[in-house]
Amino acid sequence: MLAERINYTVIGIGDMKRELARQQWMTILERDQLGRNDPTKAKEHDTQFDDYQKSLPLDAKIILDSKLWFWNQPHSFKIFISVSDAIGAQRVFDQQRDSDARSSYEEVLQTNIQRHQWHAENYKKIYGVDIFDMSHYDLVVDTTDMTPQEVLDRIMAKLDLLIV
């Protein structure tokens, strides 16, 4: 909705990682597991996406959906979108993505919690950065009890202030 409203293109690093996993005949969860078993592979896997993010020009009309964009594009406007574990798991389960196929809401919930913990630990080890330190971001929006339109309105209110 935001991209459409401001006429930007969305680049999703998670989508890129899912596509890479698919090309390797894996799910994103299986691809992540490689990194858990071998931290060197985790760094190699992330480095290619870091280099790509760093190569994007700051003036490009891009919304970059990535856990590390604040790190790779430090001069950009950075928004952290959060959601409770329960609601986030329900949203993922309702999407029913082939690349993330899980059999139940409970499995999605546990997998999401584990992935968030692993990513936080992994990025702290590799980069020395806490992705959940809210001081990295220009705007933090907890979407747990918000509609997509309310989220858009909150972001646009902040962006409108920047443009004025």
Side-chain angles (χ1 to χ4, degrees), residues 3 10 18 70 79 91 117 155:
V10 175
R18 278 183 191 80
F70 74 88
I79 304 170
R91 290 176 184 170
Q117 289 171 343
I155 293 169

Side-chain angles (χ1 to χ4, degrees), residues 3 5 17 29 38 48 95 103 110 128 141-143 154:
R5 175 83 174 266
K17 288 181 177 185
L29 299 174
D38 183 349
Q48 64 185 306
Q95 287 177 5
S103 60
Q110 288 308 310
V141 180
D142 180 352
T143 68
R154 175 86 48 91

